[in-house]
Each structure stands twice: as structure tokens, then as C-alpha cells.
Amino acid sequence: MKTDMKLVMVGGHTRNIGKTSVVEGIIRRTPELNWTAAKITQFGHGVCSVNGEACGCAVSEHQYSITEERHRDTGTDTARFLAAGATRSLWVRTKQGELITALPELKKQIEEHEFVIVESNSLRRFMNPALYIQVIDNTNPDFKLSSKQFFDLSDAYVLVNRGEESTVSENAILLARELRRNKPCFTVNEEDRFISEEIIEFVRSKLDFGAQDGVQDGARRVQQAC
């Protein structure tokens, strides 16, 4: 793999909390990085990795599929990445727990690109990114196993403020623990499209690309708000 590739991963503790919006926002606000973007989806039993539809394929069949999005207006998450300014957008589909089968092809697809951003928690098991962000919504108590496994490996957290009362959930407890370790936490609102200037400057600082002086102080101020 190309050694100077800089990989950003964006995960989250459950579905539909804004992970795609965070990826989209980072791409849109840093167009000069010419991102290659990817979304990883793992399907459960009875759903085929080839097309995401019901299938009676055996475990050894249809283990993964990687397709490149060609259109910006289809409404899919990968189309949103293109519309935000990504130069390439890939959809990686595997059977649940079988992401490793897609790794050789995925690495081949992204190895020539300098800046790569992937929406995934599970990829953290196999690759060490320049930056790993987890999106947290303390009003949603659901907690994916993949998020729990790599929660403490996150470099920063994006806390979604929906204007609702937070619950005393496992993700809230783990987030509080990580903040005691002085990890950055950025609070965002839905109306801000899940992104802020502080997040963008933090991403730039981790990628050593044009971060402004004082970004770490800004991260600490936002962390206190979380």
C-alpha cells in the first residue's frame, strides 16, 4: 500500500445518527484534498453482498462486492459523497463479519490516492488511520458491537445535539470516560449539517494539511462543552 496515503475513518455507535453527513461535510469543506470516499456495509444472514437483496448464497459465495458510484443525484450515500466533491466514491458490501475478504481489493482500489475517507467502524480492526472519529448521539441508547470494540481507539468524538434530553446509556458513559482522557469532542447540531469549523480544523491538523494555529485550543474549548 502507498505509504503516504492518509486515511480518515468515520464511525458511530449506531445507525442513522449522522455518520454520512459528517463524511459529506468533511469532503465539502476540504475540496483541495480531492478525496476518495468509501462506505462499508455488512449485510446479515440471507442478504446478498452483490446487490443487497435476499439471496440463498452460501457463506463462501458472494462474499463481497465493491462498486464505484458514477452519479451524483441517485440519493445514495455514495452519491452524496460525489456531490460533496469527492473524486471517487466506492460502496463496499460484505457479509456480516467478513470484511476481511474484501480488504485486498479495497486496498488495491485506494492505494494510489493520497486522501481517503471511509464510513466504517469495522475497518479499524484491519487498518490504522491517520484519524478515526466516532459520531455519538446520547439520545439513542443503541450500541453496535463494532463501535463498542473500537470506541477507545477513537481520536475524537462528534456529539450530535438534537435538542432532546440525553439518556444515561452505555455510549454516554463511555464517552464521559474518554473525555477524562482529554480526547477532543465536538458538539454539532442537525441544522449545522453535522459539521463545524472546529472539526474541519482538527481534521486538517491530523492530516498535517493547512491547519490554523490554535486548533488544539479550539478543540479543548469544544471538548468542555461536551
Side-chain angles (χ1 to χ4, degrees):
M1 177 175 294
K2 195 175 180 180
T3 56
D4 59 351
M5 183 187 77
K6 295 182 179 180
L7 174 64
V8 174
M9 292 182 194
V10 177
H13 71 91
T14 190
R15 301 176 61 186
N16 301 321
I17 58 170
K19 300 185 296 295
T20 300
S21 294
V22 170
V23 174
E24 181 183 26
I26 291 173
I27 294 170
R28 191 179 302 280
R29 298 283 293 277
T30 54
E32 69 278 11
L33 300 185
N34 297 314
W35 292 99
T36 288
K39 181 182 179 70
I40 294 177
T41 304
Q42 297 189 70
F43 293 111
H45 178 71
V47 180
C48 187
S49 300
V50 173
N51 53 25
E53 299 180 358
C55 180
C57 52
V59 174
S60 59
E61 295 180 301
H62 305 168
Q63 289 184 307
Y64 75 90
S65 180
I66 301 178
T67 55
E68 182 169 352
E69 180 65 72
R70 301 290 185 181
H71 305 283
R72 300 181 178 186
D73 57 356
T74 62
T76 64
D77 291 345
T78 48
R80 288 172 60 183
F81 298 159
L82 280 185
T87 57
R88 294 186 71 204
S89 184
L90 307 172
W91 187 19
V92 183
R93 305 181 295 283
T94 76
K95 294 180 182 293
Q96 189 67 43
E98 296 294 328
L99 177 57
I100 192 172
T101 62
L103 280 183
E105 179 62 25
L106 174 60
K107 290 179 179 180
K108 182 179 178 181
Q109 292 273 359
I110 65 177
E111 65 183 357
E112 296 300 323
H113 298 266
E114 185 175 2
F115 296 100
V116 178
I117 187 165
V118 180
E119 182 182 332
S120 174
N121 286 312
S122 300
L123 190 63
R124 186 63 183 83
R125 179 191 299 274
F126 307 105
M127 299 181 71
N128 187 25
L131 174 60
Y132 175 39
I133 297 171
Q134 280 216 43
V135 183
I136 306 298
D137 179 356
N138 282 340
T139 66
N140 190 326
D142 188 34
F143 208 135
K144 296 194 299 185
L145 178 60
S146 60
S147 176
K148 189 182 303 183
Q149 288 176 326
F150 309 115
F151 200 89
D152 62 339
L153 296 181
S154 301
D155 297 295
Y157 301 88
V158 172
L159 183 63
V160 179
N161 178 14
R162 300 186 188 275
E164 303 173 21
E165 185 175 349
S166 298
T167 59
V168 183
S169 57
E170 185 174 7
N171 55 305
I173 294 170
L174 289 179
L175 178 60
R177 183 193 70 187
E178 292 303 304
L179 294 188
R180 288 196 293 271
R181 298 171 61 186
N182 294 319
K183 289 189 178 180
C185 176
F186 304 92
T187 299
V188 296
N189 299 313
E190 286 186 272
E191 55 266 29
D192 297 329
R193 301 189 70 177
F194 299 92
I195 207 70
S196 67
E197 188 60 35
E198 290 81 7
I199 294 173
I200 297 303
E201 289 301 317
F202 182 73
V203 170
R204 289 179 178 277
S205 73
K206 297 296 286 188
L207 299 179
D208 297 322
F209 195 95
Q212 297 176 359
D213 293 338
V215 63
Q216 296 298 335
D217 290 338
R220 281 193 287 271
R221 287 195 298 272
V222 178
Q223 178 180 324
Q224 294 173 357
C226 291

